[in-house]
Amino acid sequence: MPNNKVVLITGGSRGIGAQTAKLFAEHGYAVCINYRQDVNAARDVKQYIHDLGGNCILVQGDIAKEEDVVRLFRETKQKLGPISVLVNNAAILHQQGKITELSAARIEKTFNVNVTGSFLCCIEAVKHMAYSYQGDGGVIINVSSMAALSGSPNEYIDYAASNTNPH
């Protein structure tokens, strides 16, 4: 039977996303972990949640691809029930370097995931949660980085520019 508290976490297989998934599970949420490529890390988080007695599914997908985002939300709702929380956590971080070392391809890839992907997830979340779309309401949490404040000079310039200011 679907849990009435469902969280979908993008980039939920490692780091902040994995810890967020575990915390939501500890508070009784059914969890959907979205991951792009590291299925073993995603399985480890799922196992932790199952060991707690929680409900967890894994959905592979690239949030920079609209069709993957639509499928991610559809599968979560079908398998766990209506989504009540989206944690927009997925981001791409390339090797650090100076601005003169950046390429258009790298910048485009970073912004496609970190900005466009986050917007695509917000759009789908609203379509699933908003009262105006016959949803039950919900919460969107957009995870950012302190790099957005400093700009990370000579380090992760494109990453810093693609993160929302957390204040």
Side-chain angles (χ1 to χ4, degrees):
M1 174 172 219
N3 187 320
N4 64 353
K5 299 189 306 184
V6 176
V7 60
L8 187 162
I9 303 171
T10 66
S13 65
R14 297 180 294 142
I16 293 170
Q19 294 306 313
T20 302
K22 292 173 183 179
L23 185 63
F24 270 96
E26 290 166 4
H27 284 87
Y29 282 76
V31 179
C32 172
I33 295 172
N34 159 252
Y35 68 98
R36 188 170 55 91
Q37 64 187 33
D38 193 347
V39 67
N40 291 327
R43 286 179 181 150
D44 288 345
V45 179
K46 180 180 179 181
Q47 186 61 53
Y48 175 90
I49 292 170
H50 281 168
D51 289 348
L52 286 176
N55 191 6
C56 180
I57 64 168
L58 306 178
V59 180
Q60 189 280 333
D62 183 345
I63 65 162
K65 296 179 181 176
E66 188 171 18
E67 62 274 11
D68 283 10
V69 172
V70 170
R71 178 178 50 79
L72 169 63
F73 278 80
R74 183 180 63 240
E75 285 187 30
T76 302
K77 184 176 181 181
Q78 286 173 348
K79 294 177 180 177
L80 298 177
I83 301 162
S84 43
V85 179
L86 164 66
V87 178
N88 244 340
N89 175 69
I92 192 167
L93 174 64
H94 298 283
Q95 185 174 3
Q96 67 183 29
K98 296 178 181 180
I99 194 162
T100 54
E101 298 168 354
L102 299 181
S103 67
R106 173 179 159 155
I107 295 166
E108 183 177 359
K109 186 174 183 180
T110 301
F111 273 75
N112 280 345
V113 173
N114 299 2
V115 178
T116 304
S118 291
F119 269 99
L120 292 173
C121 289
C122 286
I123 291 165
E124 282 305 304
V126 169
K127 289 178 181 178
H128 283 261
M129 295 189 289
Y131 298 126
S132 59
Y133 284 87
Q134 288 70 51
D136 297 325
V139 175
I140 298 173
I141 301 167
N142 292 315
V143 178
S144 184
S145 169
M146 292 305 291
L149 292 176
S150 70
S152 291
N154 297 312
E155 294 181 322
Y156 308 106
I157 300 155
D158 50 344
Y159 173 77
S162 68
N163 270 264
T164 306
N165 186 322
H167 291 92

